């Protein structure tokens, strides 16, 4: 999927001088991403291994033409960082930060949408397009291989598990997208599915959901009404107790709603093959491709 | 984080909403004194516990004298209240709220909650209060009224009025009810709440709108900026292992099984619990050590899992991306030695430097079983504990 990130991506990292920001920026550059700038208020004029650091995103955009941002700013300040990026004209903002208050997420998403920008995350591993040697995120590049399967997930390491299985089966990936584990993600399953459906480089999609919210149910409706490409899935949390936040802020069964069983049912009703076990995610994708060959 | 009813009502009162006159007591004679101070014909004694269904479980009692208040308080304080939400062990009643008895006219349900589908807070209300709203939501969803709350402006006055008219209260109470609903929305925004619920919100025979009940939960991610509310937390009300885990910055939820799980990443941790169950085992906990677990955190995590004597074995499932498997293996070995592991341990490592990691485990001399993949790991640990 070359729509989100590709060889034309010019990446700026907000929070580049922090430990995580620095480490992952260099890893993205090593993977092949064109990293053009970093921002840490107060550290403008410096550099990180040759990457120029600016005080503001506006300065970074003006000087380097950055068009994509990766955010490693602590939760208390992350929403502000997203707003700053959008205001400076950044079109794609990938927010890795975990722990942003839900109210901040509601507010910042409204601003992002009004500006016509795209937010990926928060609380996600980011996005990677192996065919384009482009990575904006924290996922280990080496487990991915170029191919034609799109992956979209609410999880981080569970996505790596799925990608690992897909790669082992010879099912390479077009783009892998982590929408994150929070209650108000910037990009939803339905947004990603729409992009994958329109992407000539993607033949099928693997979707990884979990308890809480209605994103999987909405995805099921979208697949039934708009998708011609095969979709397979896994939903984590069949054993999760009600009312407890399972790590992710959005992973909570509230008022009896949002169980894994309900989500599986909704996905299956839309013709999506749902793996019963996380050990069978790659196999489920292979089966779905067999059952519904690419036109 | 949940607030007790009396804590929620304090916040309501501070925001200008009407709550019943009441006193929080933690001793039986406190309840008797409270009854006298209230000086009404009757009072209501309410157990302050973080669980719904108190009424049906005998945790909400009408009393008509100071003696009765004393006796009821003695019955409740220090005992375990079992409701349909608490599980069979119930929760210990440490405090009681003794409130004036009111002459009720109407009971309404009202709550402000984040609607994840609409991506905005909403005010939900129902002309029938005091009931299980989840039942109504399932059986008669059309009975639940909704108005969106703007994430900056709150509940617009015209929406509050519209809701009040639709709830069918007498004309002279529409203004007061509308203002109350706006107040609930204002509290939700100001407190970074997850839920603000009043069930029931009542109108009294003497023409007042009163929050007879009060429930609030606060977004855990916002506690850093809600210091006053965060300070209200009483860890006595919580599972001790969960308290310890939170202090160590570990994400942990205690469950009922006997297979402890230690995983990096919430989705993978949930999937690990799921696969254990698929293989016939019962997970003892959810535990996410996060993306940058140090050997120390791994050791703390082990300690917390092993604190539970019902845990018969542990499954470690780590997909190391940036985190290297050999570093993690060293951490696991250190931790295992430190806590003197006496139960079966199955470790599944995948990712960077996995071969070196597996070698470290094999060479450690400890009784650690290495698994090739998730299915293998689940099968091995279930076998080991049965």
């Amino acid at each position: 999927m070359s729509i989100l990130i590709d060889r034309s991506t010019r990446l700026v990292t907000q929070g580049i001088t922090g430990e995580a920001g620095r480490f992952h920026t260099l890893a993205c550059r090593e993977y092949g991403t064109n990293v053009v700038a970093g921002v840490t208020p107060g550290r403008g004029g410096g550099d990180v291994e040759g990457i120029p650091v600016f005080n503001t995103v506006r300065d970074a955009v003006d000087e380097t033409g950055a068009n994509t941002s990766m955010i490693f700013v602590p939760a208390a300040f992350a929403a502000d960082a997203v707003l700053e990026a959008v205001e400076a004209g950044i079109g794609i903002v990938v927010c890795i930060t975990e722990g942003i208050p839900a109210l901040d997420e509601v507010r910042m998403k409204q601003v992002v949408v009004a500006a016509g920008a795209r937010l990926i995350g928060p609380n996600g591993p980011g996005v990677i397009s192996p065919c384009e040697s482009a990575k904006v995120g924290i996922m280990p590049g080496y487990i991915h291989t170029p191919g034609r399967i799109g992956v979209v997930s609410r999880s981080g390491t569970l996505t790596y598990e799925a990608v690992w299985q897909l790669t082992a089966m010879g099912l390479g990936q077009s783009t892998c997208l982590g929408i994150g584990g929070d209650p108000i993600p910037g990009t939803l399953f339905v947004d990603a599915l729409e992009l994958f459906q329109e992407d000539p480089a993607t033949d099928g999609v693997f979707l990884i959901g979990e308890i809480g919210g209605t994103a999987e149910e909405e995805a099921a409706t979208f697949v039934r009404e708009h998708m011609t490409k095969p979709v397979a899935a896994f939903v984590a949390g069949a054993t999760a107790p009600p009312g407890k936040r399972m790590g992710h802020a959005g992973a909570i069964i509230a008022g009896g709603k949002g169980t894994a069983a309900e989500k599986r049912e909704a996905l299956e009703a839309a013709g999506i093959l749902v793996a019963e076990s996380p050990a069978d995610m790659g196999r489920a994708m292979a089966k779905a491709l067999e059952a519904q060959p690419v036109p | 984080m949940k607030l007790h009813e009396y804590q929620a009502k304090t916040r309501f009162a501070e925001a200008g909403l009407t709550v019943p006159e009441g006193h929080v007591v933690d001793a039986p004679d406190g309840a008797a004194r409270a009854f006298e101070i209230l000086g009404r014909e009757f009072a209501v004694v309410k157990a302050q516990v973080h669980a719904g269904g108190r009424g049906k479980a005998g945790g909400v009692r009408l009393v008509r004298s100071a003696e009765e208040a004393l006796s009821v308080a003695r019955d409740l304080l220090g005992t375990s209240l079992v409701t349909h939400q608490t599980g069979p062990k119930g929760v210990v009643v440490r405090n009681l709220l003794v409130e004036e008895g009111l002459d009720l006219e109407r009971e309404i349900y009202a709550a402000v909650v984040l609607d994840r589908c609409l991506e905005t807070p909403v005010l939900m209300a129902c002309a029938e209060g005091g009931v299980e709203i989840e039942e109504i939501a399932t059986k008669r969803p059309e009975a639940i009224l909704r108005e969106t709350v703007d994430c900056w402006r709150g509940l617009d006055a015209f929406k509050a009025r519209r809701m009040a008219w639709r709830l069918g209260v007498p004309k002279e109470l529409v203004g007061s009810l509308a203002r109350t609903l706006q107040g609930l929305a204002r509290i939700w925004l100001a407190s970074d709440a997850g839920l603000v619920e009043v069930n029931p919100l009542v109108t009294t025979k003497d023409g007042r709108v009163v929050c007879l009940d009060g429930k609030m939960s606060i977004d855990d991610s916002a506690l850093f900026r809600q210091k006053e509310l965060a300070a209200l937390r009483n860890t006595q009300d919580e599972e001790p292992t969960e308290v310890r885990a939170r202090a160590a910055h570990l994400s942990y939820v205690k469950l009922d099984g006997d297979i402890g799980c230690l995983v990096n990443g919430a989705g993978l941790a949930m999937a690990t619990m799921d696969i254990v169950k698929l293989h016939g085992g019962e997970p003892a906990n959810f535990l996410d050590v996060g993306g940058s677990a140090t050997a120390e955190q791994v050791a703390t995590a082990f300690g917390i899992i092993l604190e539970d004597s019902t845990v018969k074995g542990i499954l470690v499932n780590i997909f190391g991306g940036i985190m290297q498997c050999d570093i993690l293996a060293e951490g696991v070995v250190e931790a295992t030695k430190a806590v003197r592991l006496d139960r079966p341990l199955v470790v599944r490592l995948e990712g960077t430097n996995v071969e070196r990691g597996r070698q470290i485990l094999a060479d450690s001399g400890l009784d650690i079983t290495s698994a090739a993949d998730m299915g293998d790991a689940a099968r091995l640990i279930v076998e080991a504990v049965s």
Side-chain angles (χ1 to χ4, degrees), chain A residues 19-35:
Chain A
E19 202 182 311
R22 180 196 178 95
F23 183 95
H24 291 292
T25 300
L26 297 176
C28 288
R29 182 166 72 173
E30 203 185 301
Y31 189 77
T33 311
N34 187 12
V35 181

Side-chain angles (χ1 to χ4, degrees), chain B residues 227-242:
Chain B
K227 298 208 156 60
E228 246 184 66
L229 294 175
L232 297 176
R233 190 197 291 270
N234 185 350
T235 53
Q236 280 190 296
D237 296 327
E238 297 174 58
E239 195 59 63
T241 40
E242 290 183 6

Side-chain angles (χ1 to χ4, degrees), chain B residues 28-44:
Chain B
D29 41 334
R33 250 194 320 276
F35 186 93
E36 273 151 17
I37 294 170
L38 290 169
R40 305 286 201 286
E41 203 186 301
F42 66 99
V44 187

Side-chain angles (χ1 to χ4, degrees), chain B residues 211-286:
Chain B
C211 298
L212 195 66
D213 176 46
K215 197 161 153 182
M216 276 179 71
S217 71
I218 311 300
D219 179 6
D220 283 342
S221 296
L223 289 175
F224 72 88
R225 66 180 185 201
Q226 295 287 347
K227 298 208 156 60
E228 246 184 66
L229 294 175
L232 297 176
R233 190 197 291 270
N234 185 350
T235 53
Q236 280 190 296
D237 296 327
E238 297 174 58
E239 195 59 63
T241 40
E242 290 183 6
V243 174
R244 208 154 74 89
R246 194 171 55 234
H249 303 293
L250 292 165
S251 200
Y252 170 89
V253 175
K254 187 173 177 351
L255 303 169
D256 288 330
D258 55 10
I259 295 177
C261 299
L262 194 155
V263 185
N264 67 324
L268 190 62
M270 280 191 275
T272 302
M273 285 161 41
D274 295 346
I275 200 173
V276 161
K277 184 111 189 198
L278 281 171
H279 279 82
E282 286 296 335
N285 68 276
F286 164 96

Side-chain angles (χ1 to χ4, degrees), chain B residues 26-163:
Chain B
D26 60 5
D29 41 334
R33 250 194 320 276
F35 186 93
E36 273 151 17
I37 294 170
L38 290 169
R40 305 286 201 286
E41 203 186 301
F42 66 99
V44 187
V45 177
K46 305 165 111 179
Q48 299 298 284
V49 291
H50 289 310
R54 292 175 302 172
K56 292 201 181 108
V60 177
R61 312 263 278 272
L62 209 93
V63 296
R64 291 181 189 279
S65 68
E67 291 76 36
E68 206 182 341
L70 183 86
S71 152
V72 164
R74 233 183 237 135
D75 271 352
L76 288 172
L77 282 170
T79 66
S80 217
L81 189 70
V82 179
T83 81
H84 71 272
Q85 277 184 19
T86 62
K89 275 197 306 193
V91 280
V92 176
V93 180
R94 262 179 274 276
N95 292 294
L96 302 170
L97 178 59
V98 183
E99 284 183 336
E100 56 169 331
L102 294 172
D103 244 331
L104 307 182
E105 188 66 59
R106 286 276 313 276
E107 292 185 46
I108 295 164
Y109 173 93
V112 182
V113 67
L114 177 62
D115 187 318
R116 288 169 64 167
C117 205
L118 297 176
E119 297 184 335
T120 181
V122 292
L123 168 71
M124 284 172 35
C126 183
E128 279 165 73
V131 293
E132 275 296 342
I133 199 67
E134 285 153 29
E135 231 186 274
I136 303 215
T138 318
K139 297 193 180 139
R140 280 182 300 124
E142 69 282 359
I144 299 185
L145 310 172
R146 280 184 171 79
E147 293 283 356
T148 53
V149 174
D150 184 85
C151 62
W152 295 104
R153 296 195 311 273
L155 182 67
D156 294 317
F158 78 89
K159 291 183 180 178
R161 280 198 308 276
R162 183 163 64 197
M163 180 68 92

